[in-house]
Amino acid sequence: MDLDLDGLRVRTLVAGDADLVVEATRAERRPALWGPRPAGPYSQDDARAALRAWEAEQVSYGVLDGPRLVAALGLMPSGPGAAELAYWVRPERRREGLGRRAVRAVTAWAHAHAGLTRVWLEIDPDNAPSLRLAESAGYRYEERMPRHCRTWAADDPAQDVWHDCLIWTHEASGRRR
Ligand SMILES: CC(C)(COP(=O)(O)OP(=O)(O)OC[C@H]1O[C@@H](n2cnc3c(N)ncnc32)[C@H](O)[C@@H]1OP(=O)(O)O)[C@@H](O)C(=O)NCCC(=O)NCCS
């Protein structure tokens, strides 16, 4: 992927982009796109490991404003024609409409060029910004899955606390629910 989003560039992230991830997560205090750890700024090693892990089975895309990474999105295949979409905007650039623009663009690209008929989101019911973004980007609420998502309070799934998740979907034109 390499898209022009009204002056922003959206492109696939690769292992060599670790510097961008380190710079973009400097002000983060919670988990970023690539997983529950670290919950905060990424070191070079964290960034290299995360990008390598994503390259194996999933794809992460960066939104660049000039030389800086301002947002990242990830597509995680989940069966024929379907993938989960995850997103993150760097803390200093939230509430500028970046998330909505990027989610709309990557969703449209996924339908048109990646052969995906269904793109879906998994959202914590307490994540008001993400819920608002999902609706604003044209996704539809589908269902609540009880105790489906981890809080990552513990590494062992059996010891972890699990919470409900809300599933939102976007289907290719003519197939939206
Ligand atoms: C969720 C997130 C991506 C939103 O990105 P963003 O660029 O700030 O969102 P936008 O500026 O495009 O706003 C989209 C909509 O959400 C609303 N919104 C954004 N932040 C909000 C907040 N803190 N509280 C309430 N509404 C909020 C905006 O007002 C806008 O609504 P509108 O279209 O009705 O005007 C960002 O907060 C983030 O990276 N959070 C941490 C990672 C995360 O939670 N990812 C989602 C996991 S499911």
Side-chain angles (χ1 to χ4, degrees):
M1 176 196 294
D2 198 341
L3 305 174
D4 175 16
L5 194 60
D6 297 330
L8 301 173
R9 184 177 177 205
V10 189
R11 68 159 174 83
T12 306
L13 292 174
V14 295
D17 288 321
D19 285 349
L20 287 178
V21 172
V22 170
E23 194 278 328
T25 56
R26 279 193 313 212
E28 185 55 274
R29 295 290 168 262
R30 297 172 58 82
L33 173 80
W34 298 272
R37 310 267 193 268
Y42 277 54
S43 67
Q44 274 284 340
D45 284 350
D46 293 330
R48 271 196 294 268
L51 290 167
R52 261 200 312 271
W54 273 75
E55 271 186 342
E57 291 173 13
Q58 319 172 108
V59 196
S60 57
Y61 306 103
V63 181
L64 289 120
D65 186 0
R68 294 204 161 174
L69 184 67
V70 293
L73 301 94
L75 274 177
M76 299 166 273
S78 62
E84 180 183 351
L85 178 69
Y87 40 80
W88 171 83
V89 174
R90 66 184 288 162
E92 312 92 314
R93 298 293 304 266
R94 288 179 189 161
R95 303 212 73 168
E96 294 178 20
L98 278 173
R100 179 179 50 240
R101 286 167 66 196
V103 168
R104 279 190 181 152
V106 170
T107 303
W109 178 89
H111 289 317
H113 300 288
L116 295 175
T117 49
R118 173 182 158 89
V119 182
W120 58 280
L121 317 172
E122 203 174 73
I123 306 180
D124 182 333
D126 291 335
N127 192 342
S130 184
L131 290 169
R132 188 68 216 114
L133 168 54
E135 187 169 15
S136 165
Y139 280 71
R140 302 281 174 90
Y141 171 68
E142 186 175 272
E143 64 173 321
R144 184 179 189 112
M145 300 190 74
R147 298 169 62 80
H148 181 70
C149 291
R150 297 180 64 170
T151 58
W152 290 93
D155 284 329
D156 177 358
Q159 302 298 320
D160 207 355
V161 178
W162 294 70
H163 63 83
D164 293 1
C165 263
L166 306 180
I167 306 299
W168 287 65
T169 64
H170 195 288
E171 303 206 3
S173 294
R175 299 194 69 232
R176 279 174 68 176
R177 292 187 188 187

